[in-house]
Amino acid sequence: MRKVTIKDIAIQAQVSISTVSFVLNNKGPQMAISKVKIEKVKEIAKNLGYIPNMIASSLRTGKTKSIGLIVEDISNQFFSELAKVIEDQSRILGYKIFYCSTNNDDVRTNELIQSLLQANVDGFIITPTAGSEKNIDHLIQLNKPVVLIDRYFPHKNVSYVVMDNYEAATEAANLLISKGFKDIALVNNTSGMIQMQLREKGYMDALKKAAIYKEALVLHLPFQSTEQQRIEELVSFFKKYPEIDAVIFSANYMGLAGLQAFKQMKYILPKDISIISFDDHASFRLHTPTISIIEQPIESLAIKVVEILMDQINNEKEFKVQKIMQKGKLILRESIFSNN
């Protein structure tokens, strides 16, 4: 079937091609086209099944009304919930989203950014990988609107929206200390990203202040390990240090592996060990006992990142770099036992 063109609409509406173009680009009132004629053109376009040529529109306006969203793993509940709010907010503003996952792979991150540049997206929202600084620099040099989310590069002059990871980890560690725990472990990964560093530092500073910090009780799981490999390492770690009475997991996928490790070890929670995990997960709410978590303010993070990106898109030469840090929320459930 032949594609419907604005010429077809113009012939049926008995108006000029330019009139149809103005109407379909929402410039009818601006060009003094009557309401009756505007409604007639729109109705005919709808009846004919007209589909706008986005490439042609992009060439005219320089905009595609699209945003590239690059996250670590769209299948992770935190990132999927974040992406959903970003998509909803963007759609309200007339923008569509291209989703991409990096799996924390620097090479893939570069490939995705290049592909989105070729697609001429109007802006980028990115959870960067450790080695993606040059890619971010490249976008800035191209004057492409870009905002980082969930993590950032401390010395880069680029906008970001993140949770205050240091404060959240400190609060979680202090809670466990106040409950009387003496051998508190931390399970982190080897990614080296700033948010993971800050979570570890918050934990470490709180325990050092209480004079109970033990370096041996910090486990770093290889980032690219499989779930089974994580479970095996966790079982080995907790068997090696049976004195551990509480643990903070730095991400929900590590917490999920931890629950499976404890099941294998026949630990009874929270009698044998108490747990707090960063980032919620449906399984944490369904588990018996329910798992205490540090909840990121997903909705406010997503709304703010879209707001900042839109400011850059609409004010390319006048926008200010914004560095936003929002407070997390410690949600206490049944996985913490009081030793006092």
Side-chain angles (χ1 to χ4, degrees):
M1 182 182 290
R2 186 176 68 85
K3 185 176 180 179
V4 176
T5 67
I6 61 173
K7 183 178 179 180
D8 298 321
I9 300 170
I11 292 172
Q12 191 162 327
Q14 296 183 325
V15 297
S16 68
I17 291 175
S18 60
T19 295
V20 175
S21 178
F22 288 137
V23 170
L24 297 181
N25 284 288
N26 298 314
K27 294 181 179 179
Q30 179 182 333
M31 302 307 294
I33 300 171
S34 70
K35 288 185 178 180
V36 173
K37 195 169 289 186
I38 289 173
E39 291 305 317
K40 182 180 180 181
V41 168
K42 287 183 176 180
E43 184 66 23
I44 291 172
K46 180 180 178 182
N47 292 338
L48 291 176
Y50 173 72
I51 299 174
N53 186 326
M54 296 307 295
I55 295 175
S57 176
S58 171
L59 290 172
R60 287 194 305 273
T61 66
K63 303 291 184 184
T64 59
K65 304 291 282 187
S66 62
I67 296 169
L69 175 60
I70 302 176
V71 298
E72 182 180 292
D73 181 3
I74 199 66
S75 69
N76 181 291
Q77 185 170 323
F78 166 71
F79 289 114
S80 62
E81 290 181 4
L82 186 71
K84 180 66 170 63
V85 182
I86 289 173
E87 180 181 28
D88 289 345
Q89 291 298 307
S90 300
R91 187 173 63 247
I92 291 170
L93 298 170
Y95 283 77
K96 59 181 178 293
I97 296 289
F98 291 129
Y99 293 103
C100 305
S101 293
T102 66
N103 295 318
N104 209 42
D105 185 311
D106 294 334
V107 175
R108 179 164 174 74
T109 300
N110 179 62
E111 292 172 347
L112 291 171
I113 288 175
Q114 294 307 313
S115 295
L116 290 170
L117 281 171
Q118 290 174 17
N120 197 32
V121 296
D122 295 336
F124 291 79
I125 297 173
I126 302 174
T127 56
T129 55
S132 62
E133 289 188 66
K134 289 184 178 179
N135 290 308
I136 304 303
D137 286 340
H138 182 55
L139 292 176
I140 294 171
Q141 289 166 4
L142 293 173
N143 293 317
K144 280 289 184 180
V146 56
V147 187
L148 308 184
I149 191 163
D150 183 55
R151 59 196 70 166
Y152 62 99
F153 297 112
H155 306 298
K156 292 290 178 186
N157 191 35
V158 59
S159 293
Y160 61 73
V161 182
V162 299
M163 181 180 75
D164 189 337
N165 288 284
Y166 178 86
E167 187 273 343
T170 302
E171 183 181 5
N174 282 332
L175 172 76
L176 294 174
I177 293 168
S178 72
K179 295 288 185 181
F181 295 100
K182 302 295 183 184
D183 294 288
I184 304 169
L186 177 79
V187 178
N188 204 346
N189 65 28
T190 57
S191 69
M193 287 303 300
I194 186 66
Q195 81 280 14
M196 307 311 271
Q197 292 180 34
L198 290 171
R199 291 172 188 182
E200 185 166 328
K201 183 167 174 47
Y203 152 89
M204 182 175 65
D205 287 353
L207 267 62
K208 282 185 174 180
K209 187 175 181 179
I212 60 171
Y213 174 69
K214 299 173 185 177
E215 186 177 354
L217 300 188
V218 177
L219 174 66
H220 294 102
L221 296 172
F223 183 82
Q224 299 295 348
S225 58
T226 65
E227 184 178 47
Q228 187 55 42
Q229 287 171 334
R230 288 193 286 269
I231 293 169
E232 290 172 0
E233 283 209 43
L234 287 165
V235 169
S236 177
F237 175 69
F238 287 106
K239 282 184 175 179
K240 184 177 180 180
Y241 300 104
E243 69 273 20
I244 293 173
D245 50 14
V247 57
I248 299 173
F249 289 99
S250 295
N252 57 12
Y253 73 88
M254 289 184 254
L256 291 170
L259 292 178
Q260 294 184 70
F262 296 142
K263 183 178 180 180
Q264 284 188 23
M265 297 171 70
K266 295 183 168 45
Y267 272 22
I268 298 173
L269 279 58
K271 179 183 176 182
D272 295 325
I273 193 165
S274 290
I275 296 176
I276 299 176
S277 177
F278 272 82
D279 302 328
D280 205 0
H281 193 278
S283 296
F284 291 161
R285 298 188 293 274
L286 296 172
H287 190 273
T288 303
T290 52
I291 306 303
S292 300
I293 56 111
I294 298 163
E295 181 181 66
Q296 297 212 48
I298 292 176
E299 185 171 359
S300 60
L301 288 172
I303 290 173
K304 190 63 180 178
V305 80
V306 173
E307 177 187 314
I308 294 174
L309 187 68
M310 288 301 123
D311 179 54
Q312 291 189 24
I313 290 173
N314 296 323
N315 304 284
E316 293 182 7
K317 296 181 180 179
E318 298 179 2
F319 73 87
K320 293 181 180 179
V321 169
Q322 299 185 55
K323 299 182 178 182
I324 307 298
M325 199 169 284
Q326 299 185 349
K327 184 178 175 61
K329 182 179 181 182
L330 181 58
I331 298 179
L332 297 182
R333 294 179 179 148
E334 301 165 344
S335 63
I336 298 178
F337 181 82
S338 179
N339 277 340
N340 290 331

